[in-house]
Amino acid sequence: MKKRFLPLFWKFSIALIFMVVVFGSINIYFIRNSVYETFETELLKHSTSKAKMIADMAIQPLLYNNITSLNEMVSNVKQTDKDLAYILILDGKNHVIAHTFYKAIPEKLIDANILKPGEARSTVFIEDVGNSDNIVQDVAVPILSVNIGTVRVGFFEAGYQKEVRKTTIIFLWMVVIFLVIGISGAFIFSYIITQPIKTISTTASGFNLESLDADKINKIQLQNKFVLGLKKVISIDDELDTLIFTFNEMLRRLTTTYKELQSAQESLLQSRKMASVGTIAAGLAHEINNPIAGLRNSLRMISEKPERYLSNQEYISMMKEAVDKIEKVVNGVLDFSRKHEFVKTPVDIRQIVEEVLMLAAFHLEQSSISIIKEFPEKVPPIMGSANHLEHVILNVVLNSIDAIGERKASEPEIAGQIVFNIRIIRNELLLEINDNGTGIEAEMLDVIFDPFFTMKKIRQGTGLGLSISYNIIKEHGGDIVAKNRNEGGMQILIKFPLTT
């Protein structure tokens, strides 16, 4: 099952919003219940106080059986409180002797709240006969004792419920405001926490050592200007600041180390080039000595018989060819040995092969190795550094010459051969260099490009040639692999990407 990606910012935000909403909802629930219970308690206190007041006022009229005074008294009290629904005064037998109804008393109301002997108060909730949505709180208290009489007062809850709703709405708005502030704070807090981490992740995923300047590493900012300014004002650092500093320091060290490694690799490459020049030095001397011998012979012939104009012209032409050949060899060696920047330009791989074969011509001739070139008529250019590619191919050719020489030592009848083959497959150019040398043991193929691996005798190989070649090809975006040929020898396959 494929995992879904959820940014850290949203994880923080969702978690914080969830917490704010849950705690806000809990607060709303408890605040509403608390407010309702508070108003219920206050209403009960008010109702009980009112009922007791009426009970005290009713004692004398009731003892004198002055029913008219009782009715006037309850009527006057009801007019002073708009929330009063009714007032009932009952005798010891639970008969109504005074009330505030203009019409007959509802039968269900009389027996709705009967005060038992010994009770100080009895409270019930009754639906208003005229409006079922309006609840009446009926409170009954005794007049001296239940045997003498009872006072019942009914209070409409609508007014109190309205106050409850009003207060609840105020609290709700307060909670909503705190929710909005909390959610906004959650987003801001999540941004402050996750933005540096996101920046680090983005920087790390797009990190390119080659295009990064070590002197500019510390300018990478992982927090916005507001947060940085705020921290500067209050002079407080936290774990994020430590993370930022450590990350910047890591980038700086990594880039500096990479630059130093590149410099060391370039020096190693240059040293390896010089070693290759040393290897082909005898051949270069031969390539130069032969034209020099021709020059010396031509000069001798011209000096002996200066009057032979036509013959001297031929000697001069031969001298020019000799000079051109020497110049070509010397320029080739100088260009190969010179330190070049790694700059990619369109390169014809066939020309690179020709330059390498010219440098190794003497060794190939001395070892009696024939060269076969199987090149197509049209070969697209590749993007690469010509000098670096020359080093790679020359290193492979010199290894092939050594391998063929080792095989000839045990099999003198073998005719040495190196075959160059170029193929185009899809968007790749494949250069195969096949020899019929000794090959290599199968288990060694996986480590042939490792640094310091060599199959040559002590002091005859450093083990760096193929390792450097491997890195050069990788910097070209290509690949280099080695395998043994069925007919004997080794094949080096170099793959280059073709630009579209």
Side-chain angles (χ1 to χ4, degrees), residues 177-193:
I177 291 171
F178 281 118
L179 275 175
V180 172
I181 294 173
I183 291 172
S184 301
F187 278 110
I188 295 172
F189 184 72
S190 299
Y191 176 81
I192 293 173
I193 293 293

Side-chain angles (χ1 to χ4, degrees), residues 410-464:
S410 58
E411 302 177 47
E413 71 280 1
I414 291 294
Q417 187 180 77
I418 300 176
V419 180
F420 291 86
N421 180 278
I422 294 177
R423 292 181 292 141
I424 308 298
I425 298 180
R426 291 185 293 274
N427 293 324
E428 286 186 325
L429 184 147
L430 276 57
L431 172 63
E432 293 179 1
I433 305 175
N434 303 289
D435 64 52
N436 59 347
T438 56
I440 190 172
E441 296 177 10
E443 58 269 20
M444 297 294 183
L445 288 173
D446 292 336
V447 296
I448 192 173
F449 296 106
D450 289 354
F452 307 109
F453 173 82
T454 180
M455 296 291 291
K456 297 179 182 180
K457 296 178 182 179
I458 298 175
R459 290 190 296 273
Q460 288 188 2
T462 62
L464 294 173

Side-chain angles (χ1 to χ4, degrees), residues 232 244 312 441 467:
K232 188 178 291 185
I244 293 168
N312 290 344
E441 296 177 10
S467 175

